[in-house]
Amino acid sequence: MIEFNTPFQAVPFDKIKPEHYKPAFEAAIAEAKTKIDKIISAKGKPTFKNTIEALEHSGYGLKRIEEVFFNINSAETNKEIQQIAQDISPVLTAYYNDITLNDSLFAKVKKVYDNRTSLKLDTEQQKLLEDTYKSFVRNGANLSPEAKEEYRKVTEELSMLTLKFEENLLGETNAYQKHITSETDLAGLPDFVKEAAALEAKSRNLTGWVFTLKAPSYQPFMKYADNRKLREEMFRAYNARCFNDNDKDNQEVIRRIVNYRLRLANLLGYKTFADFVLEERMAQNPQKVNGFLQELLDASLPAAKKEYAEVQAYANKLGARFPLERWDWTYYSEKLKNEKFSFTDEMVKPYFKLENVEAGVLGLATRLYGLTFSPDTTIPVYHPDVRAYQVFDADGSFLSLLYLDFFPREGKQGGAWMTNYLDQYKLNGKDNRPHISLVLNFTKPTESKPSLLTYDEVRTFLHEFGHSLHSMLSNCTYQSLAGTNVYRDFVELPSQIMENWAEQKEWLDIVSVHYETGEKMPEELLNNILASRNFNSGYASVRQLSFGINDMAWHTLPDSLTVAVPAFETSAMAATELFPEVSGICLSTGFAHIFSGGYAAGYYGYKWAEVLDADAFSLFKQNGIFDKATAQSFRENILSRGGTEKPIELYKRFRGQEPTIDPLLIRSGLR
Ligand SMILES: [Zn+2]
């Protein structure tokens, strides 16, 4: 196991150089192999301890290196790191295949599994045994020698293709800039957007303003720019990423990914890739997922169509003489929202200074769970923007390290995510606490202003912080079952439930303080934010469902893909389409979640978890949103338990009953 000479064994980012990764991987793989060889050659009867537990522990050293490397590849990458990723991915795939495809090792695992009822294991041990056995089977252990060879080839291809997809997307996102030199083209944009664009231009040694395809630049442009031609240009650039017939085009990558995934599923005896994936999810099978998506689509479409008509009528009133196109939607929606609720980003941002929001988000964990956070500048970080905290439990004991990484950079993927540099686990009587990182892409501070967040960014912060609580409060024995290592359609419950607090006056009131005057947000503005909760919620629901439907279409293919990527996508998403058709754009070529991010046949999980989070939060509403007993029960039954039991069992223990869809429909104003 790796020992770092740092406080808390934190990753020594300041000392790690790209050339260190390969030797570290090689050493960790060699160490793991030695441990596995020992398991295989052990004399006597295979037991839970000498086989299942030993196997679990054999991978911890390598896991550590993988976490450091792949997190850096997402948050602070460069050509050198990307090349190492290309080189190391097939090596890792081969290594993991060597484990699951090893007959003598599988024979031992199977022996323990077959005797499971007589072993007197506790719940977590039983789960580890079951998961280990299933993971062998699901990774080809039962295949014939020829099929095993093909399985190896398919998984190696897939690991390279998904990496390629991500690299292409980052490349295309970074390659685009819209340089504007005439101020008239900025009409409609609030000052904060112009300032950030001027700063972006300056950083590129340009005069004027530069807009990019990164969220804090792209989104406000689409929302506010009066110049319709420019909105269309930006929209097309964003939505044609990796769809430009160049060396970064992802169409062929997608075709190969879906075909290889289908082949993989077929090899393992499943009809489609979704059948294979969903067997290990709360939803269980594609029929259930498709039925679920359809039920929500039926509930959302009438509202979405009404909203579309309303925004169209409002646009006409403002002089629009055209049917709304995709690049018009957020622009006119924002104007209508402003008229109905007098609430714009520019009005609320001064009240959401990043530091205040951060204090409010961390403070929520203090209020609910008694956690405290103390900044620690002795912990090495991988970029000067990153800040490290020590986190303590209510009784003062050390809980975790927490890294906060807020602003966009060239080497950082878009979006927001939470990740671990070390997973929680217990070994030899010691509880090893996790190292957690939140990676976000918030509006950067400008020369004249601190970082001021939009309301959506406040929600994003809460969301990702919710994932980190899941990891932070983990109280498990085995890494592979700890923290967020749960079913994909359950993992968004701890994150999404946190967003509910952004809709509670009592909490918003605490975090919204004017960054200059120190005054609280005016009551009326606060009420307007809350009242606008369900503005265009039908549309938002349909949009989210359309992603899930697109994902399911790709992964329920029963035969190899023969049609072109855009044609397939258009037909898959037809039932969710509200706008006139546009050529030259493609959602899938930029859909990293499902083609490189582990959400394949899993995007529906966001909606699935919304059902859970609305249902779970209704208990907080009933008992009080800061009720300690409810929080304690959520912590004990869900947050601390990781994947040590089936999610539905954990959920029922917290909620006292199965979840129902009603709280979600009511909360969204759809019922
Ligand atoms: Zn999430």
Side-chain angles (χ1 to χ4, degrees), residues 347-361 452-455 458 501-502 504-527 529-530:
M347 286 160 76
V348 305
K349 275 168 75 87
Y351 295 96
F352 291 137
K353 183 177 155 185
L354 175 60
E355 288 74 8
N356 293 342
V357 176
E358 182 188 319
V361 170
L452 301 173
L453 305 190
T454 64
Y455 178 61
V458 173
W501 274 271
Q504 306 305 312
K505 201 168 177 175
E506 287 165 271
W507 185 78
L508 262 193
D509 197 44
I510 300 169
V511 300
S512 52
V513 177
H514 197 283
Y515 79 102
E516 282 174 323
T517 65
E519 278 167 25
K520 285 194 163 258
M521 184 181 279
E523 177 98 15
E524 200 191 336
L525 183 55
L526 201 67
N527 287 336
I529 294 180
L530 298 173

Side-chain angles (χ1 to χ4, degrees), residues 253-295:
V253 179
I254 290 176
R255 195 185 63 78
R256 296 181 65 198
I257 288 177
V258 295
N259 287 346
Y260 275 126
R261 282 178 177 165
L262 172 63
R263 185 63 201 138
L264 181 97
N266 290 162
L267 271 173
L268 295 168
Y270 299 86
K271 221 174 97 210
T272 71
F273 189 69
D275 283 284
F276 167 64
V277 170
L278 294 168
E279 189 184 73
E280 288 294 294
R281 296 287 186 266
M282 287 180 88
Q284 295 172 322
N285 59 57
Q287 295 69 30
K288 191 128 180 235
V289 172
N290 288 334
F292 168 77
L293 291 170
Q294 192 59 47
E295 183 185 356

Side-chain angles (χ1 to χ4, degrees), residues 416-418 463-464 467 491-493 495-496 499 593 599 606:
W417 65 95
M418 167 267 167
H463 177 106
E464 298 307 330
H467 284 306
V491 78
E492 299 298 332
L493 164 63
S495 53
Q496 286 177 180
E499 294 185 47
H593 267 84
Y599 277 79
Y606 285 104

